[in-house]
Amino acid sequence: MLFFTQCFGAVLDLIHLRFQHYKAKRVFSAAGQLVCVVNPTHSLKYAPTRCAAAQTSVEQGVPPPCHHHEAVHDPQLVPCTCPLYSCPWEGHLEVVVSHLRQTHCINILQGAEIVFLATDMHLPAPTDWIIMHSCLGHQFLLVLRKQEKYEGHPQFFATMMLIGTPTQADNFTYRLELNRNQRRLKWEATPRSVLECVDSVISDGDCLVLNTSLAQLFSDNGSLAIGIAITTSKVHNAEAEM
């Protein structure tokens, strides 16, 4: 009976996944678009993140805590860029993608345009939906977060981070698009580098911000489909032509 129950549950999950995939295709019917169904994950950052701790220390006039390994710390090492965890990992920028995939099991999609389908939008904050997007020879990290900036008023924040340097990030433009019930909402901006904190980007509001009522307007039975497109920036193209 236990074996039957587990198998039946797995079959139901597969049916639910394919149903969500069908809904996304119905909303975004453009040919060639890849659909990624992303399940929510509650943030496991029970301890303050490194960037938050450093910012708090500076504001209070107290230097950040020192560690014994800082004397031989390699300045080329970067901390883990996954916003879900207080992960102590550090490594070179070139191996960040493999760390995110192997340690945090973050999916990656390839293509100029994809559809990010976030499920279970009704779950309480804080909740994150995360995927990686491989495009134009680079990898990007898309973060959708449900967070309360004011108590009792959750909002949704979506941003795109380049797994690269700020200079490289300036060469690209990303577009997030919501399209449902003859309504369309677009956000277009330059991606930020993962060398910056995702928390800081969200706190500054330099991203797509949706209140609960607006998110419900574009959601379909608790799922929110976001079309993603990445292009090279016009400035970069003009410099290349010169």
Side-chain angles (χ1 to χ4, degrees), residues 11 25 50 52 72 82 84 87 107 110 146 156 182 203 206 209 212:
V11 171
K25 276 197 167 184
R50 250 166 296 189
V72 292
C82 183
L84 290 174
C87 179
N107 295 326
Q110 296 185 0
K146 184 177 184 180
F156 293 90
Q182 298 181 344
S203 298
D206 186 17
V209 183
T212 304

Side-chain angles (χ1 to χ4, degrees), residues 179-223:
N179 190 351
R180 184 172 182 269
N181 291 336
Q182 298 181 344
R183 297 178 178 87
R184 179 174 296 179
L185 179 64
K186 290 184 180 181
W187 167 268
E188 187 171 294
T190 299
R192 304 281 283 271
S193 167
V194 292
L195 298 179
E196 306 175 58
C197 288
V198 176
D199 295 340
S200 299
V201 176
I202 292 177
S203 298
D204 295 341
D206 186 17
C207 56
L208 174 63
V209 183
L210 304 172
N211 58 31
T212 304
S213 59
L214 192 58
Q216 290 177 349
L217 190 63
F218 285 97
S219 65
D220 183 10
N221 292 327
S223 297

Side-chain angles (χ1 to χ4, degrees), residues 1-215:
M1 180 63 72
L2 179 61
F3 176 77
F4 173 79
T5 302
Q6 291 177 342
C7 291
F8 184 69
V11 171
L12 285 180
D13 290 341
L14 180 60
I15 293 174
H16 176 71
L17 186 65
R18 290 190 63 84
F19 177 67
Q20 297 287 358
H21 187 276
Y22 166 76
K23 289 196 302 181
K25 276 197 167 184
R26 186 183 60 185
V27 175
F28 291 86
S29 58
Q33 283 188 310
L34 299 175
V35 178
C36 182
V37 179
V38 185
N39 294 320
T41 304
H42 285 284
S43 178
L44 301 179
K45 296 190 301 183
Y46 298 112
T49 60
R50 250 166 296 189
C51 58
Q55 182 177 2
T56 302
S57 299
V58 172
E59 290 175 352
Q60 295 177 350
V62 180
C66 296
H67 301 282
H68 295 295
H69 68 276
E70 285 187 350
V72 292
H73 178 71
D74 186 347
Q76 294 183 345
L77 295 181
V78 297
C80 175
T81 58
C82 183
L84 290 174
Y85 307 94
S86 291
C87 179
W89 179 89
E90 287 184 331
H92 291 277
L93 198 57
E94 294 78 12
V95 295
V96 168
V97 173
S98 60
H99 169 74
L100 292 176
R101 297 194 68 181
Q102 296 173 10
T103 304
H104 301 302
C105 301
I106 296 179
N107 295 326
I108 185 169
L109 282 184
Q110 296 185 0
E113 296 185 8
I114 65 174
V115 176
F116 177 96
L117 183 65
T119 66
D120 301 322
M121 303 292 294
H122 61 278
L123 291 178
T127 304
D128 288 322
W129 295 259
I130 300 175
I131 62 167
M132 283 191 292
H133 182 187
S134 179
C135 179
L136 300 175
H138 289 77
Q139 284 73 41
F140 300 82
L141 189 69
L142 177 69
V143 179
L144 173 65
R145 174 173 299 173
K146 184 177 184 180
Q147 179 175 305
E148 289 187 357
K149 292 199 72 172
Y150 307 100
E151 186 175 357
H153 299 280
Q155 293 177 301
F156 293 90
F157 305 86
T159 187
M160 183 74 76
M161 312 285 288
L162 172 72
I163 302 179
T165 65
T167 302
Q168 292 174 322
D170 289 338
N171 294 329
F172 299 96
T173 299
Y174 75 94
R175 185 180 73 247
L176 305 179
E177 180 178 338
L178 304 176
N179 190 351
R180 184 172 182 269
N181 291 336
Q182 298 181 344
R183 297 178 178 87
R184 179 174 296 179
L185 179 64
K186 290 184 180 181
W187 167 268
E188 187 171 294
T190 299
R192 304 281 283 271
S193 167
V194 292
L195 298 179
E196 306 175 58
C197 288
V198 176
D199 295 340
S200 299
V201 176
I202 292 177
S203 298
D204 295 341
D206 186 17
C207 56
L208 174 63
V209 183
L210 304 172
N211 58 31
T212 304
S213 59
L214 192 58

